[in-house]
């Protein structure tokens, strides 16, 4: 390496001089450094430049005996030794300014003052050497020779930097990482090279190293500036973010207060807009919107209905029996909302979303009759969220609708009122909440009711399941004079909202079916049940019971309820009787609920306890045969009847390219919802059965146009189209109850599987890319409240 430096020393020196001079020029134009430090750094770069420039001149003219060379050799060597101490002095000035400007010290350390004095003395020693030859001299050939005191010139460039380093170490925490690196290089590189220089006569590696570290000081200073700029930018951005959050918080509080004031006229509307906003934001997130877009949709939904402040009090919250004039008023509300929100110039999307939130996807909405993607996306999101909130809230005229109703409405009105993609996401959100036990339906049962006339007050339904439950309560008569009949009783029924209904409209809307009425003395009335058997065990009346009855004390009652398939069993326990009831339900598919009621009595302390005991087939005697709808032709795969969601599936069939499944489908008489139809499942398991060992489900589609494609093992793309031949949902359900022929086609290419089917104008295609198959990919049929027969494979 030394040979290379010796051979190219002049060129290296020239290049380093040019680089160092360039650094000085660039520093001159720098505006980010304090003025004093900038000029000190410029001075240091110029000293380093001239140091190497004169060192190069000394080498060039060494041995030249001309008069010009005689002068240049002596001037050059003088400047080299003089500037060597000068560069130490310059670095010392830089350190002093750095410590003072960074407020690391109030008074400069004595060590730095000492370095300044030593540097000046070193410079004076060079001047003296010109007359004494102490450090160097020249012969008659105009060549440079080291003098007897040559090593004295190394005191300043070696000892002084070490003193400076002690100061740097003491105050290193006051400097940045880049500045500390620059200091270490500036001090130790010349010292190390200086030691090497003692043994390498004829090379100027010390001076070259001084130039290099001067350049490095410039580089690291700029890195420090950049680091500081980034840090300040980060602080500035954090401040802006904090200010923005503060402004958003203020806007949020103002918007919420405004909406609260708008909802004040209707007590049933309290919190309505907030719920619409929360649901809209959830939908936006599921659609893949970023946080900023989600927030925009949130506020658009929160404020979309502010125009109702202009409506008369008797119109706000009214949904039934609107006059033509009132309907026109409501239709003007979006335009009023837009006019109000248009004053918020910073957020123009607020007015746009408010104006178009009542448009319908099929073009039958208002105010402009837009359709499909013509409707702004925010408005389409709000339309779905508002429909969901409206159906699930309590109004002046009704309780919240059951989740099954809400779900069906979203499916049925997909591509009608609502964007199908957004409606599908809303349905999936509902399903996920149900799976997490966070469904909409309130299953809370009253703990106390007071009954006057018979059936004028009935508790919410208590479901009878395979898990044996015990219901207990206290009874006391309200007719204490004994002028009227008083007794508790129960009603057995099924209803989507778990409520007993008596008016025709509610019975139809909630699919209400009453099975019968029971009293604790053994009396019964059978209505919708297939059969009912009642046995009574009358207790012997003791003196204590007689005294209790005379004093009209509260009496304890209990019901033990259990179910196996389409049969239920109740044991009614009272002070005077034990009544055992076995009832046959219309089908396995229906639900069964107990509603507590009575006549002229108080029913209090109602408690429901799940015993954890599971009902077995032999626990309930069969008193009626089950309805079977699979007594049709059986082909390649055994017929199945699915009474409850996916409780039965066909055996899996390995999927091959071009494979077809043909079958006859008939929805059961109990089927009332659009998803009571066949489903197709794509899966794998060790024994090719749904739910078998090592089971993995890759896709599941319902022929009504739904899909369940969220899983960790595959990616799915689902395409659903309703053709002109689609008869409408009510007709679609009717035809399915009569029975239809279905065909499902499978395509396979590598790890990609397609399921294709079309039924009654609903065309479906699901493309599944399997990422992690644990076995052979199979297809199976299942469903909900449907019978599948004559299943053929081709």
């Amino acid at each position: 390496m030394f040979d290379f430096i010796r051979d190219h020393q002049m060129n290296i020196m020239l290049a380093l001089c040019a680089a160092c001079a360039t650094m000085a020029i660039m520093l001159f134009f720098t505006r980010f450094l304090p003025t004093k430090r900038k000029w000190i750094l410029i001075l240091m770069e110029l000293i380093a430049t001239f140091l190497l420039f004169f060192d190069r001149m000394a080498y060039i003219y060494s041995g030249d005996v001309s008069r010009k060379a005689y002068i240049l050799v002596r001037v050059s060597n003088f400047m080299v030794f003089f500037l060597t101490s000068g560069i130490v002095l310059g670095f010392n000035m830089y350190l002093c300014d750095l410590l003072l400007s960074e407020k690391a010290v109030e008074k400069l350390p004595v060590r730095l003052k000492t370095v300044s004095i030593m540097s000046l003395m070193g410079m004076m020693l060079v001047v003296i050497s010109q007359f004494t030859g102490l450090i160097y001299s020249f012969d008659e050939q105009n060549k440079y020779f080291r003098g007897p005191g040559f090593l004295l010139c190394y005191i300043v460039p070696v000892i002084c930097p070490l003193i400076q380093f002690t100061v740097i170490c003491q105050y290193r925490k006051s400097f940045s990482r880049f500045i500390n690196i620059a200091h270490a290089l500036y001090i130790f590189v010349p010292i190390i090279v200086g030691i090497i220089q003692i043994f390498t006569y004829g090379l100027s590696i010390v001076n070259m190293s001084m130039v290099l570290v001067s350049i490095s000081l410039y580089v690291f200073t700029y890195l420090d500036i950049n680091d500081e700029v980034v840090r300040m930018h980060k602080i500035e951005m954090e401040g802006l973010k904090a200010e923005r959050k503060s402004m958003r918080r203020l806007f949020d509080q103002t918007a919420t207060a405004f909406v609260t004031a708008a909802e004040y006229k209707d007590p049933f509307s309290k919190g309505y807009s907030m719920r619409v906003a929360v649901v809209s934001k959830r939908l936006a997130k599921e659609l893949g919107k970023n946080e900023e877009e989600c927030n925009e949709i949130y506020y658009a939904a929160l404020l979309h209905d502010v125009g109702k402040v202009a409506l008369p009090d008797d119109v706000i919250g009214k949904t039934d029996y609107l006059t033509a004039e009132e309907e026109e008023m409501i239709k003007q509300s979006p335009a009023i909302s837009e006019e109000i929100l248009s004053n918020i110039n910073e957020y123009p999307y607020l007015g746009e979303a408010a104006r178009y939130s009542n448009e319908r996807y099929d073009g039958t909405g208002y105010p402009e009759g837009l359709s499909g993607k013509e409707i702004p996306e925010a408005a389409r999101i709000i339309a779905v969220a508002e429909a969901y909130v409206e159906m699930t809230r309590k109004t002046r005229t009704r309780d919240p609708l059951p989740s099954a109703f809400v779900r069906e409405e979203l499916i049925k009105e997909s591509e009608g009122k609502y964007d199908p993609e957004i409606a599908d996401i809303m349905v999936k959100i509902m399903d996920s909440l149900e799976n997490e036990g966070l469904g909409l339906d309130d299953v809370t049962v009253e703990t106390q009711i007071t009954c006057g006339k018979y059936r004028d007050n009935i508790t919410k339904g208590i479901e009878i399941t395979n898990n044996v439950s015990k219901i207990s309560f206290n009874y006391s008569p309200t007719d204490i004079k004994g002028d009227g009949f008083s007794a508790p009783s129960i009603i057995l029924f099924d209803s989507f909202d778990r409520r007993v209904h008596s008016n025709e409209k509610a019975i139809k809307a909630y699919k209400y079916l009453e099975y019968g009425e029971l009293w604790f003395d053994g009396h019964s009335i059978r209505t919708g049940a297939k059969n009912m058997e009642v046995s009574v065990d009358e207790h012997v009346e003791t003196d204590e019971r007689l005294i209790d009855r005379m004093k009209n004390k509260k009496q304890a009652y209990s019901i033990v309820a259990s179910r196996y398939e389409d049969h239920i069993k109740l044991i009614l326990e009272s002070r005077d009787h034990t009544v055992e009831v076995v009832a046959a339900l219309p089908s396995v598919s229906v639900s069964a609920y107990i509603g507590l009621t009575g006549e002229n009595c108080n029913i209090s302390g109602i408690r429901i306890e799940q015993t954890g005991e599971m009902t077995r087939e032999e626990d309930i005697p069969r008193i009626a045969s089950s309805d079977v709808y699979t007594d049709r032709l059986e082909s390649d795969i055994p017929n199945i009847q699915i009474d409850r969601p996916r409780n039965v599936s066909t055996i899996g069939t390995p999927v091959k390219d071009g494979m077809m499944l043909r079958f006859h489908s008939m929805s059961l008489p109990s089927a009332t919802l659009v998803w009571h139809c066949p489903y197709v499942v794509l899966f794998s398991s060790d024994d090719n059965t749904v739910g078998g060992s090592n089971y993995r489900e890759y896709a599941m589609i319902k022929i009504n146009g739904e899909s369940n494609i969220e899983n960790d093992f595959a990616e799915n793309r689902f395409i659903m189209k309703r053709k002109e031949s689609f008869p409408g949902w009510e007709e679609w359900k009717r035809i399915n109850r009569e029975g239809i022929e279905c065909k499902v086609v499978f395509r396979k290419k590598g790890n990609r599987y397609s399921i294709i089917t079309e039924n009654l104008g609903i065309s479906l295609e699901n493309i599944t890319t399997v990422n992690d198959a644990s076995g052979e990919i199979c297809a199976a049929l299942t469903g909900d409240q449907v019978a599948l027969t004559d299943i053929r494979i081709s």
Side-chain angles (χ1 to χ4, degrees), residues 151-409:
L151 291 178
L152 291 174
C153 71
Y154 276 88
I155 293 175
V156 172
V158 173
I159 302 301
C160 288
L162 292 176
I163 296 172
Q164 290 169 332
F165 185 67
T166 63
V167 177
I168 291 169
C169 288
Q170 182 179 351
Y171 298 104
R172 65 185 183 280
K173 292 183 179 179
S174 301
F175 310 135
S176 72
R177 174 170 55 95
F178 290 120
I179 296 300
N180 279 319
I181 292 172
H183 291 168
L185 291 174
Y186 202 91
I187 288 171
F188 287 108
V189 169
I191 291 174
I192 294 169
V193 175
I195 295 170
I196 297 172
Q197 175 78 74
I198 296 172
F199 306 101
T200 54
Y201 187 79
L203 290 179
S204 187
I205 56 177
V206 170
N207 292 336
M208 284 191 281
S209 71
M210 295 291 284
V211 171
L212 284 172
V213 294
S214 296
I215 293 172
S216 73
L217 183 63
Y218 167 85
V219 171
F220 281 104
T221 299
Y222 257 85
L223 288 175
D224 179 60
I225 291 171
N226 290 336
D227 202 44
E228 182 67 13
V229 169
V230 170
R231 189 179 70 84
M232 294 304 297
H233 178 70
K234 185 178 179 181
I235 293 172
E236 184 180 5
M237 290 304 297
E238 287 175 353
L240 289 172
K241 285 180 181 178
E243 184 179 354
R244 190 173 184 180
K245 283 182 179 179
S246 177
M247 292 297 293
R248 186 178 292 279
R249 189 162 51 247
L250 177 62
F251 178 74
D252 182 73
Q253 292 169 352
T254 304
T256 303
F258 184 40
V259 168
T260 302
E263 294 175 345
Y264 186 77
K265 293 182 178 182
D266 179 19
F268 291 97
S269 294
K270 186 177 181 181
Y272 174 80
S273 295
M274 180 65 75
R275 285 193 65 202
V276 174
V278 170
V279 175
S280 296
K281 188 174 182 179
R282 172 76 183 271
L283 287 170
K285 186 176 180 181
E286 294 294 331
L287 282 164
K289 304 297 180 185
N290 60 38
E291 185 178 358
E292 183 65 26
E293 291 169 327
C294 288
N295 286 331
E296 287 181 1
I297 289 170
Y298 172 86
Y299 288 112
L302 182 68
L303 294 165
H304 82 283
D305 209 19
V306 295
K308 68 182 180 183
V309 295
L311 297 176
D313 293 356
D314 57 344
V315 176
I316 293 177
K318 188 176 179 181
T319 56
D320 296 333
Y321 310 114
L322 290 168
T323 65
E325 184 181 357
E326 289 171 338
E327 285 185 1
E328 189 59 33
M329 287 181 186
I330 290 174
K331 286 184 177 181
Q332 292 301 317
S333 180
I336 297 170
S337 297
E338 180 193 28
E339 185 177 351
I340 293 170
L341 296 173
S342 64
N343 293 303
I344 307 176
N345 298 324
E346 292 295 320
Y347 305 119
Y349 59 85
L350 296 176
E352 182 185 64
R355 178 175 181 80
Y356 298 112
S357 60
N358 287 92
E359 297 286 2
R360 290 178 53 139
Y361 197 77
D362 60 5
T364 60
Y366 60 89
E368 295 181 17
L370 301 181
S371 64
K373 304 300 182 182
E374 294 176 349
I375 307 169
E377 186 178 34
R380 284 181 273 131
I381 292 172
I382 293 169
V384 173
E386 185 170 31
Y388 171 81
V389 172
E390 177 62 33
M391 288 186 284
T392 57
R393 75 179 179 116
K394 182 179 177 65
T395 68
R396 293 178 181 179
T397 56
R398 61 160 176 80
D399 286 334
L401 296 177
S403 60
F405 272 25
V406 178
R407 192 181 190 280
E408 185 176 51
E409 173 69 14

Side-chain angles (χ1 to χ4, degrees), residues 423-483:
D424 183 59
I425 290 173
M426 189 70 252
V427 169
K428 285 180 168 56
I429 291 172
M430 291 181 65
D431 290 345
S432 67
L433 292 174
E434 289 287 342
N435 293 334
E436 295 166 12
L438 303 173
L440 298 173
D441 295 340
D442 182 12
V443 297
T444 306
V445 178
E446 300 87 337
T447 58
Q448 180 175 340
I449 60 170
T450 299
C451 305
K453 293 181 179 180
Y454 179 54
R455 294 177 63 139
D456 71 348
N457 202 357
I458 308 168
T459 66
K460 197 162 194 173
I462 304 163
E463 188 171 13
I464 306 172
T465 66
N466 188 244
N467 189 348
V468 179
S469 58
K470 183 177 181 180
I471 306 161
S472 58
F473 61 89
N474 296 317
Y475 152 82
S476 60
T478 55
D479 186 16
I480 59 175
K481 295 181 180 179
D483 295 336

